[in-house]
Structure formats: structure tokens, C-alpha cells
Amino acid sequence: MKKTLLIGLLTLFPIMVFAQNSDAEKQQLLREFKPYATYFGFSGTEQYLNFANKMERLVVGSYTAGPALEEDPVYIALNGIPYHSLTAEQKQQVETMMQTRRQHLADVLGVPVEKLEASMDAYLNYRDLAHSLYKLEQKKKGVVSTSAEDDEDEKTEVIEIKARKLDDWGGYGSVWMSVGLRDIAMGMGIAPLVNFTVYFESRGTTQVFRYSNTAGAYSIRP
């Protein structure tokens, strides 16, 4: 099962051009990728192919699932204002903005919004595993990558959040924190859906996050 999935994940081009294939080719893809649909919890193979297609495009940066966060009118009007300075109405606007954007991303990917991050992580984690297994197979064949390439694969950017910054965001786990971490990561050149580490000074804790341009940053490990 894992070997079959690995081969498929390393040949994702058919997924990305599914809509352009002939009917015969589509039927062949539906048969080949049915195990993936089951593995990732999709009831139908076409739903999985849509999900995988959109995820791949999000990863390579060729798709944003709608307007980026910085184009949202609420973000434009309120970003940078400390959370405690917002009115109750403005706080509700921020919450609604992010809920709406998460729902939109979930709809685009074809997954329930309550399983959005878990579904994305399941795909990305297996994608990372497939890449690691592929590199291992290449090494066994004598095709060894350079140490610089290995270091680049394993490199994780670290962001330190001071107590004042976390307070301005309204505390740990707030919507503004999700937005702020996404903005900082983007400013550091960290690509969407790539792991980055956050050290929270006031909590003395370190966590790994990912972000999407649509719905902000989220923690993938405690």
C-alpha cells in the first residue's frame, strides 16, 4: 500500500492536468488513485484528485484559493491595531473574516472546515515522507544529494515572539496571532505550507507552524 502511494505521490503531474485528460485517461486515473481517496478519507476519487491538485498548486505557489489575506478589506482597515484597542464590533469583524476565509479554503479543497488543517497536514506530512523515501532510494542507487541540498531540506526558520507582541495580538491562540505569524513568516520569505518554528518568550515554549495565504498560520505540533 505505502509503495503504491509513494509512486503516485512522486508522479503527481496527472493529478494536476486531470481536467485536460481524455475520458479514457480520466477513468484510468480514477482507478489508479482510488487507494489514495480511501487513505486520505475521501468518499470519491474525483474529490481526492481535486484536493490533491489544489494542494500541489498551493505548495508550489501557483494558486491562492481566492484573494490573499492582505487584500481583505477588514485586514486592510484593522491590521496593526493592538487587539485590546479594537472595539467589540471590530473584534467580531476579525473573527468573521477568518472564519469565512477558513470556510472558503475548506470548500475549495473539498473538506469539512473542522478538518481543514488536519486534512492539509495529512497530505503534506505524507508528501514529506514520500520525498524522504525517494531520497533514500536515490542514495541506495548511488545518486547522492549534496550536503547543502540535505541541509536546505531540513532547515526550519525560527521566529521569536516577544511578550509585548503576543499581548498586542490578544494572547496565545488568538485570531490576530494567526494573522501576525503568517505576516511575519511571509516577510521572512517562508513559503506557504512550509514548516517554521515559533518561540514564544512569555510562555517559554516552541511550536511548529504552517500558514496559508488565505487563512493564516496554524500550529501543527504542540
Side-chain angles (χ1 to χ4, degrees):
M1 174 70 165
K2 286 188 177 180
K3 183 177 180 182
T4 303
L5 289 173
L6 170 61
I7 293 171
L9 281 172
L10 292 175
T11 56
L12 285 165
F13 182 72
I15 293 176
M16 301 180 73
V17 295
F18 178 74
Q20 303 171 26
N21 291 337
S22 67
D23 289 342
E25 290 170 330
K26 287 181 180 179
Q27 290 304 314
Q28 178 63 25
L29 283 174
L30 290 176
R31 287 191 294 270
E32 290 181 0
F33 285 93
K34 184 176 180 180
Y36 296 80
T38 301
Y39 183 84
F40 288 102
F42 287 87
S43 58
T45 308
E46 286 199 52
Q47 288 85 357
Y48 165 74
L49 290 174
N50 171 72
F51 171 76
N53 177 15
K54 298 293 174 54
M55 284 297 298
E56 286 301 313
R57 292 169 64 191
L58 286 170
V59 168
V60 301
S62 66
Y63 185 68
T64 58
L69 184 55
E70 62 268 19
E71 298 175 18
D72 194 292
V74 175
Y75 175 97
I76 293 171
L78 303 179
N79 187 46
I81 301 176
Y83 187 78
H84 54 76
S85 297
L86 297 175
T87 65
E89 181 180 356
Q90 289 172 329
K91 290 176 181 178
Q92 185 57 54
Q93 289 176 348
V94 172
E95 294 285 343
T96 300
M97 172 186 72
M98 296 306 291
Q99 289 172 6
T100 300
R101 298 182 72 83
R102 287 185 71 250
Q103 183 66 62
H104 175 70
L105 181 56
D107 291 343
V108 164
L109 293 175
V111 299
V113 68
E114 63 271 15
K115 295 182 179 179
L116 174 61
E117 287 81 10
S119 298
M120 294 168 67
D121 285 344
Y123 185 85
L124 293 168
N125 292 342
Y126 200 91
R127 192 177 188 277
D128 290 343
L129 173 62
H131 180 60
S132 297
L133 292 175
Y134 175 75
K135 289 200 303 181
L136 181 61
E137 288 297 320
Q138 292 298 97
K139 287 182 179 180
K140 288 180 179 179
K141 295 176 183 178
V143 184
V144 183
S145 62
T146 65
S147 58
E149 289 173 335
D150 288 338
D151 289 345
E152 185 65 25
D153 285 341
E154 297 173 3
K155 182 180 179 183
T156 302
E157 295 285 355
V158 179
I159 297 172
E160 182 176 348
I161 301 301
K162 300 291 186 180
R164 175 62 181 275
K165 174 62 73 176
L166 192 59
D167 182 60
D168 284 346
W169 285 341
Y172 179 82
S174 69
V175 171
W176 244 193
M177 187 188 91
S178 174
V179 173
L181 287 178
R182 175 261 190 192
D183 289 352
I184 292 174
M186 283 188 67
M188 293 176 63
I190 300 171
L193 303 180
V194 171
N195 293 1
F196 62 94
T197 300
V198 179
Y199 171 69
F200 295 98
E201 178 191 58
S202 60
R203 294 166 59 88
T205 59
T206 299
Q207 291 178 258
V208 178
F209 284 78
R210 289 178 175 137
Y211 79 88
S212 70
N213 283 327
T214 303
Y218 63 94
S219 174
I220 65 171
R221 286 197 295 271

